[in-house]
């Protein structure tokens, strides 16, 4: 039996225990914000762990995930920071959505397939004035959460640019860098302030829709990385895989253009030039786009982690989004469509029967066009 949520002390000492906190005050007036992280996985534990230095954080997750944290505590590695260890008895862990009731801010960090469930957990449980922030990949999660939560609470979009992987039970490793981004709305200010205090770079953006589309272009590599079985640095260092990504991005850019969206430039590469730069020979690519390869040797895409753990992936919200957008405008996106089939097959076969896709993946995708 997994124990239900406990009111254990939080990571960092607080002025007073959270249960004594008057609910009439708001954060900022000398008290720490109360943050619930809905979806305690790679991103949720990473952000929740870092923010717990400056806020009262509850991690809401699946019983099995919470058991791991109870047994091992939470350790955060990488990201250019010293390793941070939070012993289990200083974490606040919950398996019930009832834990959301106390929060000023709920960070939603479930995979896109879990957004409907997260919306159900949130509906009717938020305290007056509480805000919801989706830190998920994909384009439609904030709108889905907004529909579930209703008009009484703001729901804003955020974006996590870097990679986090659970490398051992309770150990979450940040393998690349970049600033978090958050919609420049009043509801995002509390997170922006808390993140800054916790030493996390964060940008408030007035073009979140374009940011989400820019991130989608990057995430088209998730499936390729997962199928390759290689760490990101090795995979992106290989022209054959980069050309697969270039094919996917060309289709996506055409669909986005038809949809009237100019994706924001998020990395070193200018968005419209990305497919051409990706297709350059390895040495030239390394010289021109060294920043694109600034991922450490351990980093892998979250889709790889899903397949490795035998979970459904977010392929419908990534390649699936491109295929649907293209179809709305009478365009085809065959390379993206083929990747959906390949990822589906990998989901079906499970981790034990996995075969990795070598550079011949390019031939497959080219043939699909
Ligand atoms: N990992 C990464 O490097 C990055 C991920 N992202 C995005 O961030 C989001 C989160 O990704 P990631 O952290 O990797 O995902 P994980 O799968 O590691 O974590 C999500 C966790 O939330 C759990 N969960 C789902 N629904 C609920 C619920 N209603 N209540 C409690 N727990 C729930 C999941 O359990 P279960 O599996 O049983 O559903 C899972 O344990 C995704 O949209 C992803 O694309 C963005 C940037 C980088
Ligand atoms: C950071 C990045 C692009 C890494 O692949 C990612 O978003 C993911 O893995 O889901």
């Amino acid at each position: 039996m997994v124990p239900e949520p406990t009111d254990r002390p939080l990571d960092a000492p607080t002025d007073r225990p959270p249960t004594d906190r008057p609910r009439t005050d708001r954060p900022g007036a000398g008290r720490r914000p109360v943050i619930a992280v809905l979806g305690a996985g790679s991103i949720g534990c990473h952000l929740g762990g870092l923010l717990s230095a400056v806020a009262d954080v509850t991690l809401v997750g699946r019983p099995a995930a919470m058991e791991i944290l109870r047994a091992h505590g939470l350790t955060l590695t990488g990201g250019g920071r010293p390793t941070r260890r939070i012993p289990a008895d200083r974490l606040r862990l919950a398996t019930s959505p009832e834990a959301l009731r106390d929060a000023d801010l709920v960070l939603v960090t479930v995979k896109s397939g879990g957004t409907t469930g997260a919306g159900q957990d949130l509906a009717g449980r938020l305290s007056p004035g509480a805000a919801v922030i989706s830190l998920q990949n994909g384009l439609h999660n904030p709108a889905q959460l907004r529909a579930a939560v209703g008009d009484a609470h703001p729901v804003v979009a955020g974006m996590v640019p870097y990679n986090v992987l659970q490398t051992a039970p309770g150990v979450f490793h940040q393998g690349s860098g970049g600033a978090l981004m958050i919609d420049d709305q009043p509801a995002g200010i509390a997170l922006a302030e808390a993140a800054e205090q916790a030493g996390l770079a964060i940008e408030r953006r007035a073009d979140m829709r374009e940011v989400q589309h820019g991130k989608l272009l990057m995430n088209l590599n998730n499936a390729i990385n997962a199928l390759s079985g290689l760490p990101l640095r090795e995979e992106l260092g290989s022209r054959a895989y980069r050309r697969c990504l270039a094919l996917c991005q060309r289709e996506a850019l055409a669909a986005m253009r038809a949809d009237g969206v100019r994706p924001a430039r998020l990395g070193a590469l200018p968005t419209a030039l990305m497919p051409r730069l990706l297709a350059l020979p390895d040495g030239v690519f390394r010289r021109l786009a060294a920043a694109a390869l600034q991922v450490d040797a351990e980093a892998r895409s979250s889709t790889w982690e899903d397949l490795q753990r035998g979970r459904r992936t977010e392929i419908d919200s990534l390649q699936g989004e491109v295929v649907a957008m293209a179809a709305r405008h009478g365009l085809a996106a065959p390379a993206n469509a083929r990747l959906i089939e390949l990822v589906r097959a990998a989901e079906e076969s499970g981790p034990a029967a996995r075969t990795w896709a070598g550079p011949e993946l390019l031939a497959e995708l080219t043939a699909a066009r």
Side-chain angles (χ1 to χ4, degrees):
M1 257 303 272
V2 174
E4 268 306 290
T6 54
D7 268 350
R8 295 180 194 176
L10 301 177
D11 164 45
T14 55
D15 293 340
R16 51 183 180 266
T19 42
D20 294 348
R21 184 183 347 92
R23 293 301 311 146
T24 47
D25 63 347
R26 303 306 315 158
R31 80 157 171 86
R32 289 154 62 93
V34 178
I35 298 178
V37 178
L38 179 53
S42 295
I43 295 297
C45 288
H46 167 81
L47 286 175
L50 290 175
L51 289 169
S52 67
V54 299
D56 293 351
V57 176
T58 299
L59 298 174
V60 185
R62 300 293 193 205
M66 298 298 90
E67 268 312 283
I68 288 175
L69 292 176
R70 284 195 183 99
H72 299 273
L74 175 58
T75 301
L76 304 175
T77 60
R81 294 179 200 86
T83 295
R84 180 170 161 79
R85 286 198 183 78
I86 308 175
D89 64 356
R90 295 176 73 80
L91 293 168
R92 176 179 293 230
L93 306 174
T95 56
S96 160
E98 290 305 304
L100 303 172
R101 290 193 186 277
D102 205 30
D104 304 310
L105 205 56
V106 180
L107 309 185
V108 177
T109 56
V110 303
K111 289 264 161 59
S112 300
T115 302
T116 304
Q120 287 160 357
D121 288 350
L122 288 162
R125 284 206 178 84
L126 292 170
S127 70
V132 175
I133 299 181
S134 159
L135 290 159
Q136 304 158 275
N137 284 330
L139 301 178
H140 301 299
N141 292 303
Q144 234 184 300
L145 293 170
R146 216 167 279 131
V149 161
D151 292 338
H153 298 278
V155 177
V156 297
M159 193 281 282
V160 179
Y162 50 76
N163 165 272
V164 179
L165 199 64
Q166 187 168 185
T167 50
V171 181
F172 293 87
H173 179 77
Q174 180 183 337
S176 53
L180 297 171
M181 292 183 188
I182 178 122
D183 203 349
D184 190 13
Q185 302 282 333
I189 294 174
L191 177 62
E193 287 177 355
E196 268 161 20
Q197 284 168 24
L200 270 158
I202 186 162
E203 283 177 26
R204 289 168 62 190
R205 301 281 296 219
D207 60 345
M208 245 354 252
R209 183 163 176 255
E210 289 76 10
V211 166
Q212 285 176 309
H213 283 73
K215 183 68 196 290
L216 177 58
L217 287 176
M218 288 170 63
N219 283 133
L220 296 179
N221 189 54
N222 279 27
I224 300 165
N225 175 256
L227 293 170
S228 77
L230 297 173
L232 275 164
R233 193 162 72 188
E234 219 177 305
E235 179 247 317
L236 284 171
S238 150
R239 185 184 189 206
Y241 292 115
R242 284 199 314 275
R243 287 177 70 196
C244 294
L245 177 56
L247 283 179
C248 291
Q249 290 192 343
R250 272 201 194 96
E251 293 175 359
L253 283 164
M256 290 177 191
R257 204 174 307 120
D259 222 37
V261 185
R262 277 184 69 169
R265 170 181 174 162
L266 298 179
L269 307 183
T271 307
L273 286 184
M274 267 191 316
R276 275 168 52 198
L277 284 166
L278 287 167
L280 290 170
D282 291 339
V284 187
F285 181 79
R286 253 194 306 277
R287 275 199 303 283
L288 289 182
L293 297 174
Q294 278 173 11
V295 283
D296 77 12
E298 287 187 70
R300 293 171 188 261
S301 74
S302 57
T303 302
W304 176 85
E305 190 169 27
D306 283 338
L307 288 182
Q308 200 61 12
R309 294 182 193 277
R311 301 186 299 220
R312 300 291 287 184
T313 69
E314 291 181 299
I315 193 74
D316 289 339
S317 310
L318 304 177
Q319 257 78 11
E321 200 58 65
V322 173
V323 171
M325 198 187 301
R328 282 202 300 277
H329 298 284
L331 299 169
N336 284 289
R338 181 67 187 132
L339 276 167
I340 296 174
E341 289 173 1
L342 293 170
V343 169
R344 286 269 173 269
E347 286 174 347
E348 293 306 321
S349 73
R354 176 82 16 83
T355 53
W356 303 115
E360 69 279 2
L361 180 62
L362 177 66
E364 273 238 35
L365 296 189
T366 318
R369 288 168 65 83

